[in-house]
Amino acid sequence: MLVSVITLGCKVNEYESQSILNQLKMEGYDICEGLKKADAYIINTCAVTNVAERKSRQVLAKIFKLNPEAKVAVCGCAVQNNPTQFLKNKNIIAIVGNEGKNAIIKFIKQKNKELLELNNEKYNNTARPIMTRTRQYIKIQDGCNYFCTYCIIPYLRGRSRSRDIDDILDEIRQTSANEIVLTGINISDYRIGNELGLKRLIKKIDKLNVRFRISSLECNVLDDEMIEILKNSKNFCPHFHISLQSACNETLKRMNRRYTIEEYINIVKKIRSNFNNPSISTDIIVGFKGETEEEFNQTVENLKIIQFSFMHIFPYSERSGTNATKLSGAIDRCEQKRREHVLQEMNKEFKHNFYNQNKNTVHKVLIEEVIDENLSLGYTDNYIYTYIDAKCKVGDIVDAKLISEYENGMKAQSKYREEIMEDCIFCKIKKGELPSTTLYSDDEFMIIKDINPQAKIHLIAIPNEHVPYIDMMTEEGAIKLGKMISKISHLQEELGLTGGYRLVINQGDNAGQTVAHVHIHILGGEKLKEL
């Protein structure tokens, strides 16, 4: 039987879904993930917002389009919040809230349709997740004691419980991944016994010599000692996702957040003074109850001061059972959308600024996907999605120089590409290491005579920037290529091309050089044969 596990929501759900997949595998089932045709499905649901809960229900409709006879088990936060919404369909064979995921196959076999009471006292260990070669999530904690007024998660996940430190370290030792991500519902509240223990855990992890990230932090845990520990770590990836929610003190009070915007800004300044180009990201809720125009404008101005690398922006979604339902001052949906749009435009600018700050810097990139001989994809240590101009190996961590903003990240040049550039004929000519007859040269390109002419006049125009393929050119490089073609036109009399000429752009590995370097052949001086 083929069973597919579908995951919605947070990184904790992702970890737990990988655990469920491993349970299925150990029981002898064939497994897959996502909306693929299968005999049975397990949906790990989310309920952090109304939209997330609605998506959990919509997945069911999509499943039954793929297989009308599919058997489905539903687990997670949306079930914990409202199990009856999933009991109407006869193909739902079992429901499991957040309690019982660690033994979900047993409850599916029992066709369980009753929620178990949440265990608020002890962390429930689960089956270890399926191992990956790239990035492995490590769950260290569950539940939350903070009770922010807008948040339903403490009611669905229960009180904060921490995983035994030795069990965490043992899982990390066994992983085959080159990067781990510490995750939990509120890992800032991770405890060893009754004492806060995140600092102690990080020190232990650092000795295991594996690159690690921290998924999300509350700013109150980032004191001077914590920043110093992370600064001195050899393996920490400098990406700080620090939950903010609002940048206005009055709004923060209504949200029951535990800091002021001044304290938050001070922590951001300390991080930037201790790390080179760290990524600092956050979550923002717009249109929270009672958020006046003045309060929203204060958030905008303070966000300009902070300058995040990126933000996750959500319109406020009221959840039944939270303390925010008792507050007055609901914001009109249209006004929520307007405010969201304002922040999304700021977000674009923040991303652009962060990418510019990282231009020409070298970072270590974890390779997650290889497309072809000249393109590999992965994340830098400071969490920039990177398009590398070389074939790397999935799971490897490679040095790459960030070149320019591209799509949802940056183009980068691998150390490997820099090494092979040393053997590039055109780069050697530009450096004067190989002889050539140079007819023209400026800061952007040079024109030389071809040593093996195919026409009466046969010249080569070589851009100074080493780019093997046109589609790897930066926007700036493409503009320079256009200017180069225009300059050739202005130089045609000087180059003896007044009777007309042909331009042929060569690129890639089959362009005649041992190392690819985009260049233009200029052919003229006689009537040229048809190609």
Side-chain angles (χ1 to χ4, degrees), residues 334-528:
C334 290
E335 177 60 17
Q336 279 190 336
K337 286 185 176 180
R338 184 193 72 81
R339 294 179 187 182
E340 182 183 6
H341 176 74
V342 170
L343 296 195
Q344 291 293 6
E345 290 302 306
M346 289 181 69
N347 201 19
K348 292 177 186 177
E349 183 182 346
F350 289 167
K351 288 180 181 179
H352 176 72
N353 292 342
F354 185 61
Y355 294 150
N356 274 338
Q357 290 165 15
N358 281 272
K359 273 186 181 179
N360 298 317
T361 60
V362 176
H363 289 268
K364 292 191 178 297
V365 179
L366 174 67
I367 303 301
E368 299 183 48
E369 187 178 0
V370 176
I371 304 300
D372 56 34
E373 293 291 323
N374 295 285
L375 183 58
S376 300
L377 309 176
Y379 280 94
T380 63
D381 47 4
N382 64 342
Y383 210 64
I384 295 174
Y385 195 60
T386 307
Y387 300 76
I388 300 178
D389 62 350
K391 183 178 182 180
C392 305
K393 185 179 177 182
V394 170
D396 279 359
I397 294 175
V398 302
D399 288 327
K401 183 179 181 180
L402 301 181
I403 302 301
S404 64
E405 185 173 348
Y406 180 71
E407 293 188 354
N408 61 332
M410 294 188 75
K411 287 184 178 181
Q413 189 175 73
S414 71
K415 184 178 180 182
Y416 164 74
R417 184 66 70 182
E418 287 185 356
E419 289 170 353
I420 64 172
M421 278 172 57
E422 295 177 4
D423 295 323
C424 174
I425 292 172
F426 292 142
C427 289
K428 287 182 176 181
I429 288 172
K430 287 189 297 176
K431 292 176 184 176
E433 295 174 4
L434 289 177
S436 66
T437 303
T438 303
L439 303 180
Y440 177 82
S441 179
D442 63 22
D443 292 337
E444 296 180 356
F445 79 108
M446 66 187 302
I447 298 176
I448 64 172
K449 285 187 176 182
D450 194 307
I451 59 172
N452 184 25
Q454 302 298 307
K456 186 174 181 180
I457 297 175
H458 188 168
L459 312 175
I460 304 175
I462 309 165
N464 288 341
E465 181 184 3
H466 180 100
V467 181
Y469 297 93
I470 288 174
D471 60 3
M472 288 182 179
M473 273 191 166
T474 63
E475 183 177 346
E476 182 182 0
I479 292 171
K480 287 180 180 178
L481 185 65
K483 288 181 178 179
M484 188 168 80
I485 293 171
S486 176
K487 186 68 174 179
I488 291 168
S489 174
H490 287 101
L491 292 170
Q492 60 179 311
E493 184 174 347
E494 183 180 331
L495 298 172
L497 300 168
T498 51
Y501 56 92
R502 178 180 294 163
L503 299 181
V504 179
I505 298 178
N506 278 19
Q507 66 161 354
D509 299 325
N510 296 321
Q513 290 73 45
T514 54
V515 177
H517 185 141
V518 169
H519 58 284
I520 300 176
H521 288 270
I522 309 166
L523 306 167
E526 60 183 348
K527 187 173 182 180
L528 301 173

Side-chain angles (χ1 to χ4, degrees), residues 130-171:
I130 288 178
M131 293 297 175
T132 173
R133 293 172 59 197
T134 53
R135 180 179 294 110
Q136 190 83 44
Y137 292 111
I138 305 290
K139 183 181 172 186
I140 68 170
Q141 179 272 347
D142 205 342
C144 184
N145 296 341
Y146 282 14
F147 289 94
C148 300
T149 57
Y150 55 82
C151 187
I152 196 172
I153 298 305
Y155 305 95
L156 307 182
R157 284 277 182 176
R159 304 297 82 79
S160 181
R161 292 98 65 202
S162 297
R163 184 177 175 185
D164 180 74
I165 187 169
D166 291 330
D167 194 44
I168 295 169
L169 297 173
D170 184 60
E171 182 176 347

Side-chain angles (χ1 to χ4, degrees), residues 263-277:
E263 290 168 341
Y264 190 102
I265 290 173
N266 186 48
I267 287 166
V268 169
K269 288 178 179 178
K270 286 182 179 180
I271 290 170
R272 289 198 170 121
S273 67
N274 281 278
F275 293 87
N276 185 28
N277 275 337

